[in-house]
Amino acid sequence: MDVYKEAMDYLQTCNIAGVNETETDLVEDVFGAEAEDSFTTTALQADGADLPETPTDLSPDVLLDRRLQVLQNILKHEQQYLSELETLLTPMKALKASASTSQPVLSSQQVETLFYQVPELRDLHRDFYSRLRDRLGLRSDLQPDQDKPQGQGATHPPVGDLFLKMVSQLGVYRGFIDNYESAVDIVRTCTQAEPRFRTLAESMMSSKGPDNSRTEYTLEALLYKPLDRVTKTTLVLHDLLKHTPLNHPDHSLLQEALRISSSFLSGVNEDSHCKRAVTLSKGMRRQLMRDGFVVDMCEGEHSLRHLFLYTDLLLCTKLKGGAAGKPAQYRFSWYLPLPGLRLFWGPVKERPVDLQQRVLAMRGKMFQIREELQQRGAKGLGPRTLDRSYKKLQQCELWLFTHAPLFSLELHSPSGKSHTIMLPSLFELEEWRDAIESLRGKNQETVPPDLLALTSSCVKLRMTQQPRLQSLLQDFRDEDLRGTLGVVVHSACGLQYPASLSVHLEADGYQFFDNAAQTRPSLSSLEPQWDEEFSLLVDGAHCLRLLSVKHPESRESSKGVQVLARSCIQLDPALLKRWRKTTVSLGPVEVSISLRYSAHPLVPPSSTPTQQPPVFGVHIATLAQQEGVLVPHVVRSCAEEVERRGLEEVGIYRISGATSDIQALKSIFNINVRDAMSRLRSLDVNTVSGALKLYFRELPESLIPAEHFQNLAAALDITDVSIKKEAILSILHSCPDVNRNTFLFLLHHLQRVAERQHLNKMSLLNLATVFGPSLVRPPAMMLGQSAPQVDISQEVVVQVSDRSLYSAVVLLHTPSPGESHPLGVFVQVQVVFFYLQCQDLPRPLALAPLEREDEEPADTIL
């Protein structure tokens, strides 16, 4: 029994086995002439048999008329099928009666096996037939083509619910299919052994039809009719959906009915294959557990592949054919046994400059097509124009899927074979990893597969019709987000041991913009703190995916990175008009986040990489405003990296890294802050500390504004310690928010460095001496401009009060040309030194307080 072959034969006879046109003109329009040859090798064109297309050359009225003809033909064939089931059941009553006599034709058990589930099938289709007939407005005493219903509502009635109800009961066929071979064996055995049964089985006559004709069947042929019917149900739904306009109320219902029917047929084929499958260790049979499209990276080339996960192995195939009426075929690429397979999350792949430009250009093209679709849909244009636009959009998305993935999963087998698969979504990549991990420990051995037979069977077993493309939805729902999704990742709790974590975010929808983000890795802590805000431009989004990622504590390869858990939040724009805080469970970790959605028209994505404003050498308030923070990312990331790896480094902040390395890191920050933050772990820690010092040195204005310098100098002369402290803290409080919070963040960081001075030899005084001249500057130093002179006599009085400190400053600081005299430097150092000695400094804020509504439980958003 080959159910799939029957399906393909039927598809070919109905001329719907594949896409009837190659659409090369669309390829050239979207990608340019040079891309046509490469695109025709992809798998999308091979899926025509599974994705019915609405005819593009028909007007809506003609399309609806043909839809009615399809429905009438369905009704006619349904009536014929019912007649065949009634004929099959005709001898059942007599055979049951004879089973209780002394000379039975068949035993009671044989009768039960022979007609198993047939009455239930008849009742299912009898109900469907009568309801469809009534819905079409046909009288029971007339044939479908003899009665023309009147009125627009009767001419094009909604019938999707009837088909959906019918396919939801296809499970009735499961028992019949499982019993089919046993029933056929009884027919063949008893036909040879029992003459009475042979007479019955070889000549069964149907009841008279409308033309008084009768059809002769064999019993075995009638038993095959339900198998033929369950195969054709999916194909009939294809045909009906193909002739149903997109705006018809039946379209979505028929899509769901087709999905259910296809899934049922896939399960039937899978079970049929499993009956012939080999037996693995522990009595298991080889079964298909998951499949989907991935990108196979080999020698730098990206190839779209269909990956099949079986109980004991991974099979990678190339899908060929399926266009212009040709049946789809799979070609073997590679396979890996699951036992002993090692999996590593590969590093995020950087796109070459030329590929990045092509990706940006493709996103711009997609955005333009999407805008045209919305405008045309609003104007109610014909299906032909809409269908061509959707095809262009699907081709663009498929190109992005193939050429622009960033996340890789490395597969290493004990035999030494290795392969790398890639996907644009870390969430989906983790789904694959989890599925493989759950199976690879269950088998101790793999039975060598018959690769030719196994690859051929993929046509029957495949469940994923093509890559997950947003354009395949072809609907614009009001609940989808189109605008800016703001996400603030606050903190996490629930860890059982200290760990360095980051939170990865992914919004779904069209990939016009980079709608993924990741927090910087936290310090090793039981309660990580991020307070990072992200703004994601989204179109068609309805969910936000979150993953918790654990990073190695030392400089190791990316193979030490581990995804701990993942979760998904369904987004309701009505609940996110203002900031709303919620808690998301990511395995054992509870992550606190805030969300806000702002709907607005989107601007086309730039065709060239966005030039980030510089980080170094600009006013800190300007930088903080650009980043939407109170403490710039460069300060937080560098300081936290020093705390991660440099607290025990001798001379940290006194011994700088190589000047060339520091300048290179500065350049990366000026180009891409997120990229620079991700690279810090691979750099020498003295390079990181040197970049932080360079940032403060190159600020146009010091953190403590120059106008406060003389007041600070005067406050240092106050003899009463409590009054002095109050005065100096008051001056700090009067500084701008960004300056104050950044200064406080740095002070707390330097205090943590000094706590390890027995190892790093950096006391509070040493740290004050290093940072004082950069953080507190007299007016004369500000941008090299002239300014009111500071009362040096006051400085001298202050300096004389602590000669040892003054001597230390003179020894540790040699002024460069244009810098102030050590007398002025002394004041700067003593100010920072005084702040560092305060044990009750206010805690800094990384973000401005959010204007949010009252906090809601997580289930109001999830």
Side-chain angles (χ1 to χ4, degrees):
M1 180 186 64
D2 193 341
V3 180
Y4 182 79
K5 184 177 185 303
E6 294 293 329
M8 293 304 300
D9 291 342
Y10 183 83
L11 282 168
Q12 292 175 352
T13 59
C14 296
N15 195 29
I16 58 173
V19 181
N20 294 324
E21 56 180 347
T22 61
E23 293 295 336
T24 54
D25 57 327
L26 298 181
V27 175
E28 183 173 356
D29 180 30
V30 177
F31 295 90
E34 74 279 3
E36 179 178 339
D37 292 338
S38 63
F39 186 82
T40 56
T41 65
T42 64
L44 183 61
Q45 57 185 310
D47 294 311
D50 297 294
L51 296 173
E53 298 181 356
T54 301
T56 58
D57 55 348
L58 301 178
S59 66
D61 291 339
V62 174
L63 192 64
L64 287 172
D65 288 341
R66 293 199 177 183
R67 177 179 184 271
L68 182 60
Q69 294 175 11
V70 171
L71 286 172
Q72 291 176 340
N73 285 332
I74 291 174
L75 194 66
K76 181 178 180 180
H77 286 93
E78 193 72 15
Q79 185 182 38
Q80 176 66 26
Y81 179 49
L82 276 175
S83 175
E84 293 165 347
L85 291 177
E86 293 288 359
T87 303
L88 176 59
L89 288 171
T90 300
M92 183 179 69
K93 186 175 182 180
L95 289 172
K96 282 186 175 181
S98 72
S100 59
T101 65
S102 59
Q103 295 182 333
V105 178
L106 297 177
S107 67
S108 298
Q109 182 62 42
Q110 288 176 321
V111 174
E112 286 291 331
T113 302
L114 182 60
F115 297 103
Y116 183 69
Q117 291 291 86
V118 177
E120 288 80 3
L121 294 177
R122 178 198 58 190
D123 295 341
L124 168 64
H125 285 274
R126 179 185 288 171
D127 179 71
F128 172 73
Y129 170 77
S130 62
R131 291 177 183 273
L132 181 61
R133 182 195 62 205
D134 295 342
R135 192 71 61 89
L136 293 177
L138 300 175
R139 301 199 309 272
S140 59
D141 59 337
L142 294 176
Q143 293 301 311
D145 55 355
Q146 291 179 307
D147 195 341
K148 296 294 183 182
Q150 303 297 321
Q152 181 68 20
T155 305
H156 309 298
V159 296
D161 58 319
L162 300 182
F163 283 90
L164 187 58
K165 179 181 178 181
M166 190 265 290
V167 299
S168 66
Q169 301 178 63
L170 284 178
V172 177
Y173 277 91
R174 174 67 67 178
F176 178 87
I177 294 171
D178 293 340
N179 180 72
Y180 172 75
E181 292 183 0
S182 299
V184 171
D185 287 342
I186 290 174
V187 172
R188 292 173 180 175
T189 302
C190 294
T191 297
Q192 296 178 357
E194 175 58 60
R196 291 177 297 171
F197 184 79
R198 181 168 60 250
T199 302
L200 171 68
E202 292 182 350
S203 181
M204 298 183 66
M205 303 298 295
S206 67
S207 59
K208 291 184 179 181
D211 56 354
N212 291 322
S213 64
R214 304 183 70 181
T215 304
E216 184 176 355
Y217 299 95
T218 65
L219 185 57
E220 185 173 347
L222 286 173
L223 282 173
Y224 183 74
K225 293 299 181 180
L227 293 183
D228 182 57
R229 192 64 182 180
V230 72
T231 302
K232 291 181 180 179
T233 298
T234 300
L235 308 176
V236 165
L237 285 168
H238 270 275
D239 199 22
L240 181 57
L241 184 59
K242 176 180 178 180
H243 292 88
T244 300
L246 295 175
N247 58 357
H248 195 282
D250 274 353
H251 196 272
S252 60
L253 295 175
L254 291 174
Q255 278 186 320
E256 178 64 12
L258 178 58
R259 185 193 68 79
I260 295 174
S261 179
S262 300
S263 298
F264 178 79
L265 184 59
S266 297
V268 170
N269 287 324
E270 180 180 343
D271 288 347
S272 175
H273 172 74
C274 288
K275 291 178 181 179
R276 301 187 298 273
V278 297
T279 301
L280 307 175
S281 60
K282 301 182 181 180
M284 298 175 61
R285 289 184 178 273
R286 179 174 291 144
Q287 299 179 21
L288 177 66
M289 308 304 293
R290 178 186 175 90
D291 78 314
F293 282 82
V294 301
V295 176
D296 182 28
M297 189 176 69
C298 181
E299 298 180 354
E301 295 294 328
H302 289 191
S303 303
L304 188 67
R305 295 289 183 260
H306 203 154
L307 190 64
F308 293 84
L309 174 61
Y310 288 89
T311 316
D312 64 326
L313 58 87
L314 267 175
L315 176 67
C316 183
T317 64
K318 177 191 298 185
L319 185 60
K320 301 288 289 184
K326 297 180 181 179
Q329 295 180 353
Y330 279 94
R331 295 183 179 178
F332 171 78
S333 292
W334 51 263
Y335 90 96
L336 291 175
L338 293 187
L341 188 65
R342 292 175 296 133
L343 288 74
F344 300 108
W345 180 29
V348 175
K349 302 295 182 181
E350 295 184 19
R351 300 189 185 110
V353 176
D354 59 336
L355 179 58
Q356 178 66 11
Q357 292 176 345
R358 295 180 65 190
V359 168
L360 293 173
M362 190 59 66
R363 287 177 171 177
K365 184 65 176 179
M366 288 174 59
F367 184 88
Q368 178 184 350
I369 298 172
R370 162 78 158 156
E371 292 296 309
E372 293 175 355
L373 276 171
Q374 286 190 314
Q375 295 173 6
R376 290 172 177 173
K379 294 178 182 178
L381 297 182
R384 180 176 182 179
T385 304
L386 291 176
D387 194 62
R388 283 183 62 88
S389 296
Y390 273 118
K391 288 182 180 179
K392 291 180 182 180
L393 190 57
Q394 289 168 14
Q395 291 165 1
C396 291
E397 281 197 278
L398 185 62
W399 187 91
L400 279 180
F401 184 93
T402 306
H403 293 87
L406 292 174
F407 300 98
S408 59
L409 186 63
E410 300 176 2
L411 309 168
H412 301 274
S413 71
S415 63
K417 295 182 179 180
S418 299
H419 294 279
T420 300
I421 60 174
M422 301 184 67
L423 282 165
S425 164
L426 178 59
F427 194 92
E428 188 174 353
L429 195 70
E430 274 301 297
E431 289 180 329
W432 270 106
R433 188 189 65 80
D434 285 350
I436 296 172
E437 289 279 8
S438 65
L439 291 172
R440 70 185 182 97
K442 294 182 178 181
N443 294 288
Q444 301 301 320
E445 60 180 350
T446 297
V447 177
D450 180 345
L451 294 176
L452 180 61
L454 190 62
T455 304
S456 300
S457 70
C458 290
V459 176
K460 305 176 185 179
L461 297 179
R462 66 190 179 117
M463 297 178 291
T464 303
Q465 304 301 331
Q466 66 177 53
R468 298 178 182 178
L469 303 181
Q470 182 75 12
S471 55
L472 290 177
L473 300 178
Q474 294 193 7
D475 61 340
F476 304 97
R477 297 169 293 182
D478 293 336
E479 62 269 23
D480 289 349
L481 278 64
R482 180 177 171 86
T484 299
L485 176 64
V487 184
V488 177
V489 182
H490 298 290
S491 59
C493 62
L495 287 171
Q496 299 300 315
Y497 54 89
S500 179
L501 296 183
S502 66
V503 177
H504 183 86
L505 310 170
E506 293 178 351
D508 62 345
Y510 287 97
Q511 303 297 309
F512 305 139
F513 310 95
D514 288 321
N515 51 7
Q518 183 167 327
T519 67
R520 69 191 186 285
S522 68
L523 292 173
S524 181
S525 170
L526 286 173
E527 296 184 354
Q529 191 82 23
W530 295 283
D531 286 328
E532 288 193 58
E533 181 178 354
F534 305 92
S535 294
L536 306 178
L537 291 174
V538 294
D539 185 6
H542 62 89
C543 71
L544 177 68
R545 297 165 174 173
L546 299 95
L547 302 96
S548 57
V549 181
K550 180 178 178 293
H551 298 263
E553 296 302 327
S554 58
R555 282 192 296 172
E556 299 176 3
S557 67
S558 60
K559 293 182 175 62
V561 177
Q562 177 186 3
V563 176
L564 298 181
R566 61 183 185 271
S567 183
C568 186
I569 298 178
Q570 297 298 320
L571 302 172
D572 185 351
L575 297 176
L576 302 177
K577 294 180 179 179
R578 299 183 64 185
W579 285 108
R580 189 172 292 265
K581 191 173 184 180
T582 186
T583 300
V584 182
S585 295
L586 290 173
V589 181
E590 299 286 333
V591 177
S592 174
I593 66 172
S594 291
L595 299 172
R596 183 179 66 177
Y597 166 63
S598 175
H600 59 79
L602 295 174
V603 298
S606 175
S607 60
T608 58
T610 304
Q611 184 63 40
Q612 173 192 286
V615 171
F616 283 70
V618 300
H619 286 276
I620 192 169
T622 303
L623 177 61
Q625 184 178 13
Q626 293 169 358
E627 297 181 347
V629 295
L630 293 177
V631 180
H633 291 311
V634 61
V635 176
R636 296 187 65 187
S637 58
C638 288
E640 290 179 355
E641 191 62 30
V642 170
E643 291 188 32
R644 181 177 289 109
R645 296 190 285 123
L647 292 182
E648 299 180 2
E649 190 77 17
V650 176
I652 190 70
Y653 288 122
R654 274 294 296 155
I655 301 174
S656 293
T659 302
S660 58
D661 293 340
I662 295 174
Q663 291 297 325
L665 181 56
K666 168 187 171 180
S667 299
I668 299 174
F669 267 109
N670 282 334
I671 295 172
N672 189 320
V673 170
R674 293 289 171 185
D675 185 28
M677 291 166 59
S678 66
R679 295 192 186 191
L680 290 181
R681 291 200 166 198
S682 62
L683 299 176
D684 182 77
V685 71
N686 288 314
T687 299
V688 178
S689 65
L692 181 59
K693 292 190 296 182
L694 180 64
Y695 171 76
F696 288 115
R697 278 204 308 272
E698 293 191 356
L699 283 177
E701 182 182 79
S702 60
L703 276 185
I704 303 298
E707 58 265 25
H708 296 303
F709 183 84
Q710 195 158 353
N711 292 334
L712 285 169
L716 288 175
D717 195 35
I718 300 175
T719 57
D720 189 295
V721 176
S722 60
I723 297 177
K724 179 194 295 187
K725 180 178 178 180
E726 181 179 353
I728 291 182
L729 290 179
S730 176
I731 294 172
L732 177 59
H733 184 73
S734 65
C735 292
D737 288 346
V738 173
N739 298 55
R740 181 178 67 256
N741 283 285
T742 303
F743 188 66
L744 287 171
F745 178 87
L746 183 62
L747 291 176
H748 283 285
H749 164 64
L750 295 179
Q751 286 176 342
R752 287 189 287 270
V753 173
E755 290 175 359
R756 304 284 185 91
Q757 61 178 305
H758 61 287
L759 297 173
N760 57 41
K761 310 304 181 186
M762 294 299 294
S763 64
L764 292 178
L765 176 57
N766 288 341
L767 294 169
T769 305
V770 171
F771 282 93
S774 300
L775 303 179
V776 184
R777 301 178 195 164
M781 293 183 59
M782 190 173 59
L783 296 177
Q785 300 173 356
S786 60
Q789 295 295 319
V790 179
D791 185 357
I792 293 298
S793 62
Q794 185 181 39
E795 287 191 49
V796 172
V797 172
V798 173
Q799 294 157 10
V800 171
S801 65
D802 193 341
R803 286 292 180 182
S804 60
L805 177 57
Y806 173 71
S807 300
V809 171
V810 173
L811 290 174
L812 291 171
H813 182 80
T814 301
S816 302
E819 282 191 324
S820 60
H821 187 271
L823 289 176
V825 174
F826 174 77
V827 175
Q828 299 165 272
V829 173
Q830 193 176 30
V831 168
V832 175
F833 184 54
F834 186 89
Y835 280 120
L836 286 174
Q837 289 177 305
C838 295
Q839 297 301 315
D840 54 350
L841 289 171
R843 304 301 302 179
L845 295 177
L847 294 172
L850 303 176
E851 295 181 1
R852 63 166 61 94
E853 296 180 359
D854 293 338
E855 295 187 10
E856 296 288 340
D859 57 5
T860 63
I861 299 178
L862 299 183

